[in-house]
Amino acid sequence: MSIAKGKLYLVPAPLDFGCDSQAPLQDVMPLGTLQIAARLCCWICENAKSTRAYLKRINELHPLSTPVQALQIQELPREVHKKGDHSGHFDARPLLAPALEGRDMGLVSEAGMPAIADPGSSVVRAAHDLGIQVVALTGPMSLMLALAASGLNGQNFAFVGYLPQDASGRAQRIRELESLALKTGQTQIFIETPYRNAALLQALLQTLQGNTRLALSCGLTMGNSVSRSALVSHWKRDKPVLPLDIPTVFCIGR
């Protein structure tokens, strides 16, 4: 008799990873998501250490079915973190062996929804190819929260990841995205590592046209969260002070 396959749950994580303060988990994560996560004993993740820390936070609200020390936690390879796993070059099927043996599994990234602006898509593809049911759980997604708070076009938008780090390449990419946004009305969404946020904002203000709308959302779901949306000309005039040292999502549009 064949063994029924387990499910792969896509488990969101709070958006405060790497931040000095943490939001109360019960304020930002749905009860049902936490309850499912608490019963899973097999995990695939970016980083085992941060995953254990997250599960310990869950344990404070909903006791884990298996002690943290006894959980089976597998990390995605380092090259997947650096280069991404959306191109199809990484075979994640071996990571899903527990699901083929009938055990439910969780996929988690360090913040937000796995496989959205984070590694994990290779695991999801492999699960589908192996006939394993994929269940996406609800939780905070910074890109969608920022888009909703921006006042920009929520019917037509694109997430374009990170912009180039060198000044000339970054300015060229900003002009390309602005041209696309103004021509088509498609909102362009992008991110940066927190310590480069201030430099990116400065580059945007130097490069974008004054009538382009620029929106920033900093520290979403956290106590010091700030969202601001205004024309670039108003950004330059008002010079607002924002907490740019925390995770920030940038949006431009018309």
Side-chain angles (χ1 to χ4, degrees):
M1 184 175 65
S2 60
I3 300 174
K5 297 173 183 176
K7 299 177 182 178
L8 176 67
Y9 288 95
L10 311 187
V11 182
L15 303 178
D16 53 24
F17 173 75
C19 299
D20 293 335
S21 61
Q22 293 182 326
L25 202 56
Q26 65 271 21
D27 291 351
V28 296
M29 297 295 300
L31 174 62
T33 294
L34 296 178
Q35 289 175 331
I36 290 174
R39 69 171 177 80
L40 300 175
C41 61
C42 299
W43 291 87
I44 302 171
C45 66
E46 285 186 78
N47 181 280
K49 182 178 179 181
S50 60
T51 297
R52 291 189 187 96
Y54 176 31
L55 292 171
K56 288 177 181 177
R57 292 174 69 181
I58 293 176
N59 188 58
E60 294 174 359
L61 297 174
H62 300 283
L64 303 180
S65 62
T66 304
V68 172
Q69 312 89 282
L71 294 171
Q72 180 179 338
I73 300 178
Q74 304 177 85
E75 291 184 337
L76 289 165
R78 181 173 177 80
E79 60 267 23
V80 168
H81 300 179
K82 294 295 184 181
K83 300 180 181 179
D85 61 348
H86 46 75
S87 61
H89 298 309
F90 173 65
D91 183 6
R93 288 175 295 180
L95 298 175
L96 293 164
L100 295 178
E101 296 168 357
R103 289 178 286 173
D104 290 339
M105 302 186 69
L107 173 65
V108 65
S109 59
E110 291 182 330
M113 178 67 78
I116 303 294
D118 266 317
S121 58
S122 60
V123 180
V124 177
R125 284 195 304 273
H128 286 296
D129 291 344
L130 292 170
I132 296 168
Q133 183 179 352
V134 176
V135 182
L137 301 179
T138 54
M141 290 184 61
S142 61
L143 304 181
M144 296 300 96
L145 293 172
L147 177 61
S150 71
L152 292 168
N153 189 348
Q155 303 294 327
N156 184 8
F157 54 89
F159 172 62
V160 298
Y162 293 85
L163 305 192
Q165 293 181 24
D166 66 284
S168 60
R170 182 173 56 201
Q172 179 180 347
R173 182 61 171 150
I174 289 172
R175 286 190 287 268
E176 290 173 353
L177 294 175
E178 179 184 43
S179 175
L180 181 61
L182 296 181
K183 181 180 179 180
T184 67
Q186 183 183 71
T187 302
Q188 305 298 310
I189 308 170
F190 43 95
I191 56 176
E192 186 51 277
T193 54
Y195 69 90
R196 294 195 188 108
N197 281 338
L200 176 55
L201 176 57
Q202 184 63 27
L204 289 166
L205 296 180
Q206 291 175 347
T207 308
L208 293 170
Q209 301 176 34
N211 64 339
T212 296
R213 181 168 287 271
L214 169 64
L216 271 67
S217 284
C218 310
L220 287 161
T221 73
M222 299 170 61
N224 56 346
S225 173
V226 175
S227 290
R228 174 180 168 81
S229 178
L231 297 180
V232 169
S233 59
H234 294 178
W235 277 91
K236 293 180 177 180
R237 180 194 66 195
D238 300 337
K239 297 180 172 61
V241 177
L242 299 176
L244 293 173
D245 58 340
I246 55 179
T248 299
V249 180
F250 299 77
C251 304
I252 59 173
R254 64 187 188 191

